[in-house]
Amino acid sequence: MVEAIYKPGLEGVIAGETTIAAVEQTSLSYRGYNIADLAENTTFEEVAHLLLYGDLPTSKQLSQLQTTLAQVRPLPQEVIQVLRKIPTDVPMMDVLRSTLSFAGHFDPVKGDAPDDLRRRAVWLMAVSAGVVAARFRLLKNREPLDPKPGLSHAAQLLYQAIGEEPDETATRLLDLTLILYAEHEYNASTFATRIVASTMSDMVSAIVAGVGTLKGPLHGGANEAAMNMLAQFDSADAASKWIREAFEKKHKVMGFGHRVYKNGDHRAHILEDELRTLAEQKGQTKWMEIYDAIKDPMVNEKKIYPNVDYPCGLTYYLLGLPIDMYTPLFVCSRVTGWCAHFIEQAMNNRLIRPLSRYTGPAERKVAPIAQRV
Ligand code: CMC
């Protein structure tokens, strides 16, 4: 019997092997490709193919993936009916969780062979984006839109939400965030999906578990939490005053810190450069002053660095997207990583079942109910 080890939060524990991504202090790679290289030279659809099929696509493979996405994009009417019935004040992450589960009853892919699972993953990519866009429109009292042929996944999502083809900057920036968010090895939501896979349950159940796990502000919910924090300031001075109080009161600052990266998150560096350019282009440099008024003391005094959610929140904000949509957009990307991990776990499975250390009462006897106090 192996001697049991205990690490709160599984910190520093290797909980399994993967060929999908490597998160290191000095680099992040998806299947051997550095994230900066992918961010500069690929699209989200190519990254989805890389994660799901193990390699970047050839032109033919990319066009097959795009064709499949186009085929499965239209949401079943039943899913749209459900979206209409969910009260308008329900957070979009909850809507997405319930609707993905419901959409699972209309899964067009049959079977559980590796290629079936990959096609189901592509269908889940389409459904998650379709649900986010349709919900966005219904909340604005507009009808969901049919997909428009020929658009990239990022442009399609924005088009189906907003009703106009997005400009090049918006398309490229959403595409970039989808690439950066797509995969991050054994983070909490991915681990949750692997646990579901390890019981030989189904992919939709695993993705629903992933959505529920990502929602929390210590994980994917941080992009919304970070923007809600920034949105309360009307000047850099107000932000500076707030961060001093946060230090005094030892408050957590959302969008900062990471369990693995202790010297900064590679994804945040990539996105922050783009965010600065976007703010200049939009004449919104005030937001960068507020952004820096929080960031500089966190980095210089606390040595706690922004994670990807910090620049991402403000990027989406400057693109005019509602804050409630930010973590759902994270889902639209991470669904690819979750599915890749589901497939990897299912193909080489061992039930994930750790131990716990019991710290409750010592053994005691059941008293008859009338004698209990
Ligand atoms: N604000 C203030 N202090 C912090 C923060 C923060 N965001 N993050 C870490 N610290 C402090 C923490 O209080 C602790 O201080 P001390 O040693 O004095 O008690 C020290 O840094 C070590 O932190 P930790 O809590 O042991 O680190 P962890 O590995 O358990 O936590 C984390 C990682 C991501 C949960 C944490 O940094 C955090 O809560 N950040 C804010 C939420 C957030 O931005 N989450 C997104 C994570 S990355 C992308 C994603 O998954 O979406």
Side-chain angles (χ1 to χ4, degrees):
M1 173 108 180
V2 185
E3 197 189 329
I5 51 158
Y6 169 52
K7 296 273 186 179
L10 298 180
E11 182 164 3
V13 172
I14 294 174
E17 294 183 317
T18 184
T19 61
I20 305 170
V23 173
E24 314 274 356
Q25 290 302 331
T26 52
S27 67
L28 162 64
S29 57
Y30 300 170
R31 297 209 186 265
Y33 293 99
N34 189 283
I35 190 65
D37 195 4
L38 293 170
E40 201 174 326
N41 297 308
T42 66
T43 62
F44 175 60
E45 286 91 322
E46 289 172 70
V47 166
H49 189 284
L50 173 68
L51 295 174
L52 294 171
Y53 291 87
D55 247 318
L56 284 170
T58 60
S59 304
K60 190 169 165 213
Q61 288 167 330
L62 180 60
S63 128
Q64 274 164 355
L65 178 77
Q66 287 161 335
T67 304
T68 311
L69 268 172
Q71 282 165 351
V72 293
R73 247 185 206 120
L75 290 177
Q77 275 311 312
E78 292 85 344
V79 172
I80 294 177
Q81 292 309 329
V82 161
L83 283 173
R84 289 185 203 283
K85 289 192 172 137
I86 300 175
T88 52
D89 61 349
V90 173
M92 206 188 276
M93 273 302 271
D94 296 359
V95 173
L96 190 52
R97 182 202 60 217
S98 309
T99 321
L100 281 174
S101 180
F102 181 72
H105 306 314
F106 303 88
D107 178 354
V109 181
K110 306 294 163 221
D112 288 301
D115 266 340
D116 302 326
L117 294 176
R118 290 186 188 107
R119 279 187 290 120
R120 185 165 297 122
V122 174
W123 167 72
L124 281 161
M125 268 172 82
V127 176
S128 48
V131 164
V132 170
R135 177 70 175 174
F136 178 96
R137 287 191 75 74
L138 290 169
L139 286 177
K140 299 213 174 293
N141 291 319
R142 296 193 189 128
E143 280 304 296
L145 282 178
D146 289 335
K148 187 168 189 168
L151 298 184
S152 72
H153 196 61
Q156 186 72 255
L157 203 165
L158 292 172
Y159 165 74
Q160 284 192 269
I162 294 158
E164 283 169 18
E165 267 193 52
D167 63 22
E168 209 188 308
T169 304
T171 303
R172 195 177 56 77
L173 282 175
L174 180 60
D175 192 70
L176 174 64
T177 62
L178 296 178
I179 291 171
L180 298 178
Y181 269 146
E183 165 55 9
H184 218 222
E185 50 113 295
Y186 274 47
N187 58 86
S189 57
T190 300
F191 194 48
T193 63
R194 287 194 78 123
I195 291 171
V196 177
S198 85
T199 69
M200 293 177 71
S201 181
D202 66 287
M203 186 180 259
V204 175
S205 297
I207 298 314
V208 171
V211 173
T213 314
L214 190 78
K215 174 185 163 187
L218 294 191
H219 193 6
N223 60 9
E224 293 181 15
M227 191 58 228
N228 280 322
M229 170 187 70
L230 293 178
Q232 66 183 306
F233 309 124
D234 56 9
S235 68
D237 282 350
S240 299
K241 189 162 169 272
W242 183 90
I243 192 76
R244 291 286 137 219
E245 282 172 22
F247 284 174
E248 262 169 46
K249 294 181 180 155
K250 297 197 177 304
H251 282 165
K252 275 221 160 149
V253 184
M254 292 301 165
F256 286 83
H258 198 272
R259 173 59 61 80
V260 181
Y261 300 129
K262 296 303 174 194
N263 306 309
D265 177 334
H266 315 293
R267 304 164 299 174
H269 292 307
I270 295 170
L271 190 54
E272 191 179 291
D273 289 346
E274 300 284 343
L275 169 61
R276 286 194 195 281
T277 311
L278 177 70
E280 289 268 340
Q281 273 174 12
K282 299 244 171 208
Q284 296 276 7
T285 46
K286 178 197 92 172
W287 282 108
M288 292 319 294
E289 288 162 19
I290 292 172
Y291 178 99
D292 288 332
I294 300 290
K295 179 189 157 190
D296 291 346
M298 283 297 285
V299 170
N300 299 332
E301 297 172 42
K302 298 285 172 189
K303 307 278 175 253
I304 300 175
Y305 294 84
N307 56 56
V308 66
D309 291 318
Y310 190 56
C312 192
L314 189 51
T315 302
Y316 288 158
Y317 190 79
L318 294 183
L319 291 178
L321 299 172
I323 296 177
D324 186 41
M325 196 173 167
Y326 300 178
T327 315
L329 288 174
F330 193 158
V331 171
C332 293
S333 162
R334 184 59 60 84
V335 69
T336 55
W338 289 335
C339 289
H341 278 273
F342 182 96
I343 296 166
E344 188 177 61
Q345 182 70 37
M347 293 306 113
N348 187 16
N349 191 37
R350 181 158 169 84
L351 176 72
I352 299 174
R353 201 299 185 196
L355 304 172
S356 66
R357 178 186 287 174
Y358 179 68
T359 59
E363 191 174 328
R364 45 192 176 158
K365 288 272 175 240
V366 175
I369 196 160
Q371 290 170 23
R372 290 180 213 157
V373 284

